[in-house]
């Protein structure tokens, strides 16, 4: 099998799985539906094109928490575009300054096309919401092996200031949330996060099985060349 790895890092991220009405929550790690949506947007797939979405949704998904970030809450106000009437006050939750490694396992040809799309996307990527652009390049390349192998061995992607804060006591393990293998049995949770359709009029998701494990801390990746705005805060960002 082949695996496509992504770095998901930015000042703000938001990965809702059960948001309703005026309370828009976020999970503690990226959801499969949002990452598949990011990849579909990079390829220019229309929201209602379920035929082109299906191969992406069939990819096996996992994510590693390299830098957990901080959960924050924001209040959102809006007015109706036509009437000017004030809309209900809503709460929006975000993860501030988090870093994740997401991985998708599947067929080589499809993953190669997705990797190319990330490097020249039709629509710009965002981290769960349009207001959350990535601060670093997404692509970590194609890898041979299994989902578990890649999530164990891809270098640690935490930001430079976070590594400095933890250099005297770095984490020994990183948490991994991944889909269970076909022949795997044991404790698992379910999340309504398997995308069936992104059509605006009838978005549909079904349940998927999520296994939580840990992996030993791998070696750190080189500091990214692109600007990380949080580096300016130095070690005081705690």
């Amino acid at each position: 099998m082949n695996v496509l790895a992504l770095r998901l890092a930015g000042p703000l991220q938001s990965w809702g799985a059960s948001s309703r009405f005026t309370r828009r929550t976020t999970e503690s790690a990226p959801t499969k539906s949002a990452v598949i949506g990011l990849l579909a947007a990079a390829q220019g797939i229309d929201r209602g094109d379920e035929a082109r979405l299906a191969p992406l949704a069939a990819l096996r998904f996992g994510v590693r928490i390299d830098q957990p970030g901080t959960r924050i809450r924001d209040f959102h106000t809006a007015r109706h575009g036509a009437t000017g009437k004030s809309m209900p006050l809503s709460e929006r939750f975000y993860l501030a300054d988090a870093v994740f490694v997401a991985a998708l396992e599947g067929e080589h040809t499809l993953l190669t096309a997705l990797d190319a799309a990330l490097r020249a996307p039709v629509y710009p990527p965002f981290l769960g919401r349009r207001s959350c652009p990535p601060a670093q390049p997404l692509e970590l390349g194609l890898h041979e092996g299994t989902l578990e192998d890649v999530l164990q061995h891809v270098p640690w992607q935490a930001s430079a200031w976070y590594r400095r804060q933890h250099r005297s006591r770095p984490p020994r393990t990183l948490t991994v949330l991944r889909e269970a293998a076909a022949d795997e049995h044991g404790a698992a949770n379910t999340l309504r996060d398997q995308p069936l359709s992104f059509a605006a009029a009838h978005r549909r998701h079904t349940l998927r099985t999520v296994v939580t494990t840990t992996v030993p801390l791998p070696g750190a990746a080189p500091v990214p060349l692109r600007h990380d705005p949080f580096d300016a805060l130095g070690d005081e960002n705690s």
Side-chain angles (χ1 to χ4, degrees), residues 98-112:
V99 181
F100 305 97
V101 172
L104 300 108
E105 179 187 275
E107 192 268 328
H108 177 76
T109 302
L110 174 59
L111 295 180
T112 300

Side-chain angles (χ1 to χ4, degrees), residues 44-68:
I45 298 175
D46 292 336
R47 281 186 172 273
D49 193 340
E50 296 178 14
R52 292 187 66 191
L53 173 64
L56 277 63
L59 295 169
R60 186 164 169 246
F61 175 75
V63 62
R64 191 180 76 196
I65 302 175
D66 283 28
Q67 185 173 320

Side-chain angles (χ1 to χ4, degrees), residues 136-158:
Q136 299 174 16
L138 292 171
E139 53 285 354
L140 290 174
L142 282 171
H143 304 260
E144 293 185 354
T146 66
L147 186 76
E148 290 83 356
D149 292 337
V150 172
L151 289 173
Q152 181 172 348
H153 294 112
V154 166
W156 191 30
Q157 300 296 317

Side-chain angles (χ1 to χ4, degrees), residues 163-174:
R163 298 180 204 174
R164 289 195 299 269
Q165 280 194 339
H166 293 82
R167 61 188 166 205
S168 62
R169 187 178 292 180
R172 295 183 178 181
T173 61
L174 301 176

